[in-house]
Amino acid sequence: MMDPMRVVVTGGRGALGSQVMSALSAMGHEAVSASRRSGVDVASGAGLDRVLDGAEAVVHTADTVNPRSYAAVTLGGTRHVLDAAARQDTPPHVVTISIVGVDHHPYSYYRAKRGAEELVERSDQPATLVRATQFHSLAALFARLGRIGPIAMGLRGMQLQPVDIGWVGRRLAEIAVGPRPDGPARGPDLTGPDRFDLTELTRLVSEHAGRTPPRILALPAYGAIMTAFVDGAILPGPDAEIGGERFAQWLARQPKRLRGR
Ligand SMILES: NC(=O)c1ccc[n+]([C@@H]2O[C@H](COP(=O)([O-])OP(=O)(O)OC[C@H]3O[C@@H](n4cnc5c(N)ncnc54)[C@H](OP(=O)(O)O)[C@@H]3O)[C@@H](O)[C@H]2O)c1
Protein backbone atom coordinates (compact mmCIF):
# COMPACT_ATOMS: atom_id res chain seq x y z
CA MET A 1 0.00 0.00 0.00
CA MET A 2 1.42 3.34 -1.13
CA ASP A 3 1.83 6.21 1.37
CA PRO A 4 -1.05 8.68 1.12
CA MET A 5 -0.16 11.68 -1.05
CA ARG A 6 -1.47 15.24 -0.96
CA VAL A 7 -2.86 16.00 -4.43
CA VAL A 8 -4.37 19.34 -5.42
CA VAL A 9 -7.10 19.32 -8.09
CA THR A 10 -7.75 22.67 -9.76
CA GLY A 11 -11.43 22.88 -10.66
CA GLY A 12 -11.99 20.04 -8.19
CA ARG A 13 -15.75 20.71 -7.98
CA GLY A 14 -16.18 20.74 -11.79
CA ALA A 15 -17.46 17.83 -13.88
CA LEU A 16 -14.04 16.20 -14.41
CA GLY A 17 -12.31 17.56 -11.31
CA SER A 18 -14.91 16.01 -8.99
CA GLN A 19 -14.26 12.61 -10.61
CA VAL A 20 -10.51 13.04 -10.00
CA MET A 21 -11.22 14.02 -6.37
CA SER A 22 -13.40 10.92 -5.77
CA ALA A 23 -10.83 8.63 -7.39
CA LEU A 24 -8.00 10.04 -5.26
CA SER A 25 -10.04 9.71 -2.06
CA ALA A 26 -11.03 6.14 -2.96
CA MET A 27 -7.30 5.36 -3.39
CA GLY A 28 -6.62 6.71 0.14
CA HIS A 29 -4.97 9.99 -0.89
CA GLU A 30 -5.63 13.51 0.38
CA ALA A 31 -7.49 15.33 -2.42
CA VAL A 32 -7.65 19.13 -2.14
CA SER A 33 -9.90 21.12 -4.49
CA ALA A 34 -8.61 24.49 -5.67
CA SER A 35 -11.00 26.81 -7.48
CA ARG A 36 -12.48 30.27 -7.07
CA ARG A 37 -14.96 28.99 -4.51
CA SER A 38 -12.03 27.92 -2.32
CA GLY A 39 -10.15 31.20 -2.90
CA VAL A 40 -7.88 30.03 -5.72
CA ASP A 41 -8.04 31.85 -9.05
CA VAL A 42 -5.82 30.29 -11.70
CA ALA A 43 -6.34 33.31 -13.99
CA SER A 44 -4.57 35.64 -11.55
CA GLY A 45 -2.59 32.96 -9.72
CA ALA A 46 -4.10 34.04 -6.38
CA GLY A 47 -3.99 31.33 -3.71
CA LEU A 48 -1.92 28.85 -5.77
CA ASP A 49 1.32 29.10 -3.77
CA ARG A 50 -0.57 28.45 -0.55
CA VAL A 51 -2.62 25.50 -1.78
CA LEU A 52 0.38 23.83 -3.50
CA ASP A 53 2.46 23.99 -0.33
CA GLY A 54 3.34 20.37 0.51
CA ALA A 55 1.49 18.92 -2.50
CA GLU A 56 3.15 16.04 -4.30
CA ALA A 57 1.01 16.41 -7.41
CA VAL A 58 -1.53 18.78 -8.95
CA VAL A 59 -4.15 17.76 -11.49
CA HIS A 60 -5.08 20.86 -13.45
CA THR A 61 -8.67 20.60 -14.71
CA ALA A 62 -9.85 24.21 -14.12
CA ASP A 63 -10.92 25.81 -17.38
CA THR A 64 -13.65 27.85 -18.95
CA VAL A 65 -16.06 27.58 -21.86
CA ASN A 66 -16.25 31.37 -22.18
CA PRO A 67 -14.33 32.38 -25.32
CA ARG A 68 -13.49 35.78 -23.77
CA SER A 69 -11.57 33.99 -21.01
CA TYR A 70 -9.49 31.54 -23.04
CA ALA A 71 -6.41 33.79 -22.82
CA ALA A 72 -6.77 34.39 -19.08
CA VAL A 73 -7.94 30.95 -17.89
CA THR A 74 -6.99 28.32 -20.50
CA LEU A 75 -3.55 29.81 -21.19
CA GLY A 76 -2.89 32.08 -18.19
CA GLY A 77 -4.26 29.49 -15.75
CA THR A 78 -1.93 26.77 -17.05
CA ARG A 79 1.03 29.16 -16.89
CA HIS A 80 0.23 30.17 -13.30
CA VAL A 81 -0.16 26.54 -12.18
CA LEU A 82 3.21 25.61 -13.75
CA ASP A 83 4.92 28.70 -12.27
CA ALA A 84 3.49 28.15 -8.79
CA ALA A 85 4.51 24.47 -8.93
CA ALA A 86 8.06 25.48 -9.96
CA ARG A 87 8.30 27.84 -6.93
CA GLN A 88 7.73 24.99 -4.43
CA ASP A 89 10.84 23.55 -2.73
CA THR A 90 9.95 20.20 -4.28
CA PRO A 91 7.85 20.99 -7.34
CA PRO A 92 4.74 18.80 -7.51
CA HIS A 93 4.04 16.63 -10.56
CA VAL A 94 1.68 18.71 -12.73
CA VAL A 95 -0.89 16.65 -14.67
CA THR A 96 -2.87 18.58 -17.27
CA ILE A 97 -5.87 17.58 -19.38
CA SER A 98 -6.29 18.52 -23.02
CA ILE A 99 -8.37 17.31 -25.94
CA VAL A 100 -7.53 14.77 -28.66
CA GLY A 101 -6.89 16.48 -32.01
CA VAL A 102 -6.16 20.04 -30.92
CA ASP A 103 -2.89 20.07 -32.89
CA HIS A 104 -3.99 21.74 -36.09
CA HIS A 105 -7.63 22.50 -35.34
CA PRO A 106 -8.82 26.05 -36.14
CA TYR A 107 -11.60 26.14 -33.48
CA SER A 108 -10.62 28.93 -31.03
CA TYR A 109 -10.99 26.82 -27.87
CA TYR A 110 -8.83 24.07 -29.37
CA ARG A 111 -6.21 26.64 -30.38
CA ALA A 112 -6.13 27.84 -26.76
CA LYS A 113 -5.85 24.24 -25.50
CA ARG A 114 -2.91 23.66 -27.89
CA GLY A 115 -1.30 26.85 -26.56
CA ALA A 116 -1.68 25.49 -23.01
CA GLU A 117 -0.09 22.20 -24.12
CA GLU A 118 2.89 24.10 -25.50
CA LEU A 119 3.38 25.80 -22.13
CA VAL A 120 3.59 22.35 -20.51
CA GLU A 121 5.90 21.00 -23.22
CA ARG A 122 8.26 23.98 -22.87
CA SER A 123 8.33 23.87 -19.07
CA ASP A 124 11.35 22.32 -17.45
CA GLN A 125 9.48 20.55 -14.68
CA PRO A 126 7.79 17.22 -13.93
CA ALA A 127 4.55 17.43 -15.87
CA THR A 128 2.33 14.97 -17.76
CA LEU A 129 0.04 16.06 -20.55
CA VAL A 130 -3.01 13.81 -21.02
CA ARG A 131 -5.61 14.20 -23.76
CA ALA A 132 -9.15 12.85 -23.87
CA THR A 133 -11.90 12.74 -26.47
CA GLN A 134 -15.34 14.29 -25.81
CA PHE A 135 -17.10 13.13 -22.64
CA HIS A 136 -20.38 11.22 -23.19
CA SER A 137 -22.42 14.22 -22.02
CA LEU A 138 -20.82 16.51 -24.61
CA ALA A 139 -21.36 13.98 -27.39
CA ALA A 140 -25.04 13.81 -26.36
CA LEU A 141 -25.20 17.60 -26.48
CA PHE A 142 -23.77 17.59 -30.02
CA ALA A 143 -26.48 15.06 -30.92
CA ARG A 144 -29.26 17.30 -29.50
CA LEU A 145 -28.03 20.60 -30.91
CA GLY A 146 -29.09 20.17 -34.50
CA ARG A 147 -32.64 18.98 -33.79
CA ILE A 148 -35.47 21.23 -34.88
CA GLY A 149 -38.81 19.40 -34.47
CA PRO A 150 -38.88 16.31 -36.71
CA ILE A 151 -35.63 17.23 -38.46
CA ALA A 152 -32.05 16.95 -37.21
CA MET A 153 -29.24 18.71 -38.98
CA GLY A 154 -25.81 17.17 -38.76
CA LEU A 155 -22.49 17.46 -40.48
CA ARG A 156 -22.20 14.77 -43.13
CA GLY A 157 -19.39 12.39 -42.22
CA MET A 158 -18.70 13.75 -38.72
CA GLN A 159 -17.71 11.03 -36.25
CA LEU A 160 -17.09 11.02 -32.51
CA GLN A 161 -15.53 8.52 -30.11
CA PRO A 162 -16.80 9.71 -26.74
CA VAL A 163 -15.38 8.67 -23.38
CA ASP A 164 -16.56 8.02 -19.82
CA ILE A 165 -15.66 11.02 -17.64
CA GLY A 166 -15.39 8.82 -14.52
CA TRP A 167 -12.73 6.64 -16.13
CA VAL A 168 -10.81 9.72 -17.36
CA GLY A 169 -10.90 11.04 -13.78
CA ARG A 170 -9.57 7.71 -12.43
CA ARG A 171 -6.77 7.61 -14.99
CA LEU A 172 -5.73 11.19 -14.16
CA ALA A 173 -5.67 10.29 -10.46
CA GLU A 174 -3.55 7.18 -11.16
CA ILE A 175 -1.12 9.17 -13.30
CA ALA A 176 -0.83 11.89 -10.62
CA VAL A 177 0.16 9.43 -7.90
CA GLY A 178 2.18 7.23 -10.26
CA PRO A 179 5.82 7.58 -11.36
CA ARG A 180 6.97 11.17 -11.51
CA PRO A 181 8.62 12.17 -14.80
CA ASP A 182 11.90 14.13 -14.76
CA GLY A 183 10.52 16.76 -17.13
CA PRO A 184 7.51 17.32 -19.37
CA ALA A 185 6.06 14.01 -20.58
CA ARG A 186 3.23 12.97 -22.82
CA GLY A 187 0.61 10.76 -21.11
CA PRO A 188 -1.98 8.64 -22.91
CA ASP A 189 -4.77 9.80 -25.18
CA LEU A 190 -7.92 8.50 -23.46
CA THR A 191 -11.00 7.43 -25.39
CA GLY A 192 -14.06 5.20 -25.18
CA PRO A 193 -14.84 1.90 -26.94
CA ASP A 194 -17.41 3.15 -29.49
CA ARG A 195 -17.09 5.34 -32.56
CA PHE A 196 -20.31 6.89 -33.87
CA ASP A 197 -21.50 8.93 -36.80
CA LEU A 198 -23.19 12.03 -35.44
CA THR A 199 -26.40 10.84 -37.13
CA GLU A 200 -26.26 7.55 -35.17
CA LEU A 201 -25.76 9.47 -31.92
CA THR A 202 -28.76 11.66 -32.77
CA ARG A 203 -30.88 8.55 -33.28
CA LEU A 204 -29.77 7.00 -29.96
CA VAL A 205 -30.40 10.20 -28.02
CA SER A 206 -33.84 10.68 -29.62
CA GLU A 207 -34.83 7.09 -28.81
CA HIS A 208 -33.69 7.59 -25.23
CA ALA A 209 -35.94 10.65 -24.94
CA GLY A 210 -38.86 8.58 -26.28
CA ARG A 211 -39.08 10.76 -29.37
CA THR A 212 -39.58 9.64 -32.96
CA PRO A 213 -36.13 9.50 -34.54
CA PRO A 214 -35.72 12.66 -36.60
CA ARG A 215 -35.27 12.82 -40.33
CA ILE A 216 -31.55 13.53 -40.67
CA LEU A 217 -30.50 16.38 -42.88
CA ALA A 218 -26.81 15.65 -43.44
CA LEU A 219 -25.18 18.92 -44.44
CA PRO A 220 -21.77 19.34 -46.07
CA ALA A 221 -19.01 21.01 -44.07
CA TYR A 222 -18.63 24.73 -44.60
CA GLY A 223 -15.45 26.57 -43.60
CA ALA A 224 -12.24 25.44 -41.90
CA ILE A 225 -13.71 24.57 -38.49
CA MET A 226 -16.50 22.32 -39.77
CA THR A 227 -14.12 20.74 -42.27
CA ALA A 228 -11.69 19.84 -39.48
CA PHE A 229 -14.50 18.16 -37.50
CA VAL A 230 -15.67 16.22 -40.58
CA ASP A 231 -12.13 15.24 -41.54
CA GLY A 232 -11.76 13.34 -38.27
CA ALA A 233 -9.38 15.74 -36.54
CA ILE A 234 -10.93 14.93 -33.14
CA LEU A 235 -10.79 11.15 -33.53
CA PRO A 236 -8.18 9.20 -31.51
CA GLY A 237 -5.24 7.49 -33.19
CA PRO A 238 -4.40 3.77 -32.98
CA ASP A 239 -2.25 4.25 -29.85
CA ALA A 240 -5.04 5.75 -27.74
CA GLU A 241 -5.92 3.99 -24.49
CA ILE A 242 -9.51 2.71 -24.62
CA GLY A 243 -11.56 2.27 -21.48
CA GLY A 244 -14.52 3.16 -19.35
CA GLU A 245 -18.25 2.73 -19.69
CA ARG A 246 -19.83 2.54 -23.16
CA PHE A 247 -21.98 5.42 -24.41
CA ALA A 248 -25.15 3.26 -24.41
CA GLN A 249 -24.62 2.27 -20.75
CA TRP A 250 -24.10 5.91 -19.81
CA LEU A 251 -27.21 6.98 -21.74
CA ALA A 252 -29.36 4.31 -20.07
CA ARG A 253 -28.52 5.82 -16.65
CA GLN A 254 -29.51 9.38 -17.68
CA PRO A 255 -32.91 10.99 -17.14
CA LYS A 256 -35.15 11.02 -20.24
CA ARG A 257 -34.65 14.73 -20.60
CA LEU A 258 -30.93 15.26 -21.00
CA ARG A 259 -29.45 18.52 -19.78
CA GLY A 260 -26.08 20.25 -19.66
CA ARG A 261 -22.87 19.42 -21.48
N1 LIG B 1 -16.06 18.27 -21.78
C1 LIG B 1 -15.34 17.45 -22.53
O1 LIG B 1 -15.90 16.68 -23.34
C2 LIG B 1 -13.83 17.41 -22.40
C3 LIG B 1 -13.10 16.50 -23.14
C4 LIG B 1 -11.70 16.48 -23.01
C5 LIG B 1 -11.07 17.33 -22.13
N2 LIG B 1 -11.83 18.21 -21.41
C6 LIG B 1 -11.15 19.12 -20.49
O2 LIG B 1 -11.52 18.79 -19.17
C7 LIG B 1 -11.32 19.94 -18.33
C8 LIG B 1 -12.45 20.10 -17.34
O3 LIG B 1 -13.66 20.24 -18.01
P1 LIG B 1 -15.03 20.19 -17.17
O4 LIG B 1 -16.07 19.79 -18.13
O5 LIG B 1 -14.84 19.42 -15.90
O6 LIG B 1 -15.22 21.73 -16.80
P2 LIG B 1 -16.20 22.36 -15.70
O7 LIG B 1 -17.21 21.37 -15.23
O8 LIG B 1 -16.69 23.64 -16.29
O9 LIG B 1 -15.24 22.67 -14.46
C9 LIG B 1 -14.26 23.64 -14.56
C10 LIG B 1 -13.92 24.08 -13.16
O10 LIG B 1 -12.90 25.09 -13.31
C11 LIG B 1 -13.06 26.00 -12.24
N3 LIG B 1 -12.57 27.30 -12.71
C12 LIG B 1 -13.00 28.03 -13.77
N4 LIG B 1 -12.33 29.19 -13.83
C13 LIG B 1 -11.44 29.18 -12.80
C14 LIG B 1 -10.47 30.11 -12.33
N5 LIG B 1 -10.26 31.27 -12.93
N6 LIG B 1 -9.72 29.75 -11.25
C15 LIG B 1 -9.92 28.57 -10.62
N7 LIG B 1 -10.84 27.67 -11.01
C16 LIG B 1 -11.58 27.98 -12.09
C17 LIG B 1 -14.55 26.07 -11.92
O11 LIG B 1 -14.74 26.19 -10.50
P3 LIG B 1 -15.06 27.62 -9.81
O12 LIG B 1 -16.25 28.18 -10.55
O13 LIG B 1 -15.30 27.30 -8.38
O14 LIG B 1 -13.84 28.47 -10.01
C18 LIG B 1 -15.08 24.71 -12.41
O15 LIG B 1 -15.45 23.87 -11.35
C19 LIG B 1 -11.08 21.13 -19.28
O16 LIG B 1 -9.70 21.40 -19.32
C20 LIG B 1 -11.52 20.59 -20.64
O17 LIG B 1 -10.84 21.18 -21.72
C21 LIG B 1 -13.18 18.27 -21.51
Side-chain angles (χ1 to χ4, degrees), residues 110-218:
Y110 288 7
R111 288 210 316 271
K113 294 297 282 185
R114 179 62 198 139
E117 289 186 349
E118 284 169 356
L119 294 172
V120 176
E121 288 164 355
R122 287 200 296 263
S123 77
D124 188 22
Q125 50 197 103
T128 303
L129 168 55
V130 178
R131 288 178 171 178
T133 55
Q134 290 64 43
F135 303 148
H136 290 327
S137 57
L138 184 62
L141 174 65
F142 282 173
R144 300 199 307 281
L145 275 181
R147 178 143 192 176
I148 307 165
I151 293 176
M153 289 181 290
L155 278 179
R156 186 182 301 146
M158 178 166 167
Q159 292 190 313
L160 290 160
Q161 192 161 335
V163 67
D164 169 8
I165 192 171
W167 178 68
V168 174
R170 289 195 293 283
R171 290 296 290 120
L172 290 173
E174 285 164 4
I175 291 165
V177 301
R180 178 190 164 84
D182 293 332
R186 187 65 196 271
D189 286 1
L190 303 175
T191 193
D194 306 300
R195 186 172 288 193
F196 298 101
D197 280 336
L198 189 55
T199 50
E200 170 70 355
L201 272 178
T202 304
R203 187 184 64 73
L204 289 172
V205 167
S206 296
E207 274 176 13
H208 174 77
R211 300 176 72 180
T212 316
R215 200 159 64 80
I216 307 283
L217 206 60

